[in-house]
Amino acid sequence: MHFLDIGEVVARSGVPPSTLRYYEEIGLIRSVARHGLRRQFDHDVLMKLSLIAMGKAAGFSLPEISGMFGSDDRPDIPRDQLHARARELERQIIELRMLRDVIRHVADCPAPSHMECPSFRKLLKSATTTTASRSPKPPTTRARSARRR
Amino acid sequence: MHFLDIGEVVARSGVPPSTLRYYEEIGLIRSVARHGLRRQFDHDVLMKLSLIAMGKAAGFSLPEISGMFGSDDRPDIPRDQLHARARELERQIIELRMLRDVIRHVADCPAPSHMECPSFRKLLKSATTTTASRSPKPPTTRARSARRR
DNA sequence: GTACGAATTCAAGCCAACTTGAGGTCAAGC
DNA sequence: GCTTGACCTCAAGTTGGCTTGAATTCGTAC
């Protein structure tokens, strides 16, 4: 009976209790028992929370992540969906690299107005064309959580 | 004649009118004239919208993006701040690459349960630890958010 | 056996970034 | 000079992912 009290899960995972309750409410995780009122979780929940965190970071929505676990609670994701997401991540990476270059350019270019700097325009243009072909479903929370300091 | 009617901006940028108006409302872009009621934009706005799109794709909030432009509408940020951004982007890129690898592994690994696959655990662990090192006790999205989201 | 503190429930609130809808205005074409 | 249709304003609504708050319930320590 090495169940984890919710307080312990909070301490170990850094996920706030309200979030854990919310996740349970939407069926993303589940508690296995109560001690008084207190939820007790199986030890596995920590791993699951890691996967959830990664899924979020990768731009999956909670319902999507939810769908990634089979009834046995183990990861069970359609491969093509995963590959699609990997490609999407690849695209994001490319985009970030471009943005990084643009920003670096802005920092270093001595031209009075960037709009008139040919190499700035060029960077921007190449960025724009790749961005134009971006996926219909923009990841919203992903970069934020990935970016937290 | 150098001005772009909002309809034209919509057509060329793919950004819906409601969004353009919203951006103007929050001071992210501005219209330079009206033709009747219709907003007219300077040609530059297309460039700016590109930058905004990139910034969003990189996970910046609209206020943050807004801060990247000087009052003269030109990018105008202290160089070291820009370099700091670039470094942060670099870090983000590395993280996304890792995520991509984890996802690809999950897609391709034939192990019956990922939880038991050593290389999965390893990937997962390195992913979580690097994430954890940046935010030992993750501040909530809201708590951090004097800034955004 | 009472005080304490951590956890509980449930409903409501919040935030960013937009979108939607109702009702109004305008310039251009016929 | 009327119709058309793209645009306008302003307020309110939407979505996802939580958080907050008030009132309550426990187990544990004293």
Side-chain angles (χ1 to χ4, degrees), chain A residues 77-95:
Chain A
I77 321 176
R79 276 154 208 281
D80 54 343
Q81 213 188 107
L82 283 174
H83 279 301
R85 194 59 73 165
R87 279 194 303 277
E88 170 73 8
L89 282 173
E90 186 62 37
R91 196 191 54 67
Q92 277 173 27
I93 288 166
I94 290 169
E95 213 166 273

Side-chain angles (χ1 to χ4, degrees), chain B residues 21-134:
Chain B
R21 282 190 284 269
Y22 173 67
Y23 282 177
E24 187 178 6
E25 196 186 326
I26 64 172
L28 195 48
I29 59 174
R30 47 178 220 261
S31 54
V32 291
R34 291 286 175 122
H35 178 59
L37 286 179
R38 302 155 100 112
R39 284 165 176 82
Q40 308 297 114
F41 291 94
D42 193 281
H43 198 272
D44 280 1
V45 82
L46 293 176
M47 176 103 71
K48 204 163 178 184
L49 286 173
S50 296
L51 283 172
I52 291 169
M54 281 203 327
K56 286 202 319 175
F60 291 98
S61 70
L62 296 187
E64 277 171 326
I65 293 171
S66 200
M68 291 179 181
F69 296 94
S71 50
D72 57 349
D73 228 37
R74 290 203 239 112
D76 176 27
I77 322 180
R79 275 152 210 282
D80 54 342
Q81 229 186 86
L82 284 174
H83 280 300
R85 290 259 196 225
R87 278 194 304 276
E88 202 177 329
L89 282 173
E90 185 62 37
R91 192 183 50 62
Q92 201 176 329
I93 287 165
I94 290 168
E95 196 171 296
L96 283 184
R97 271 206 293 261
M98 217 157 45
L99 235 52
R100 179 201 56 193
D101 293 343
V102 171
I103 286 179
R104 275 198 193 133
H105 172 87
V106 173
D108 296 332
C109 179
S113 164
H114 297 295
M115 299 300 195
E116 284 145 25
C117 168
S119 84
F120 177 76
R121 298 185 77 100
K122 198 178 147 202
L123 275 171
L124 191 54
K125 189 164 184 184
S126 76
T128 42
T129 51
T130 45
T131 303
S133 66
R134 256 198 334 289

Side-chain angles (χ1 to χ4, degrees), chain A residues 1-35:
Chain A
M1 296 57 171
H2 52 97
F3 293 157
L4 293 176
D5 187 271
I6 185 172
E8 219 167 333
V9 176
V10 169
R12 293 224 221 166
S13 69
V15 177
S18 59
T19 303
L20 292 176
R21 282 191 285 268
Y22 173 68
Y23 283 177
E24 188 178 6
E25 195 187 327
I26 63 173
L28 195 48
I29 59 175
R30 46 180 223 259
S31 53
V32 291
R34 293 286 178 123
H35 178 58

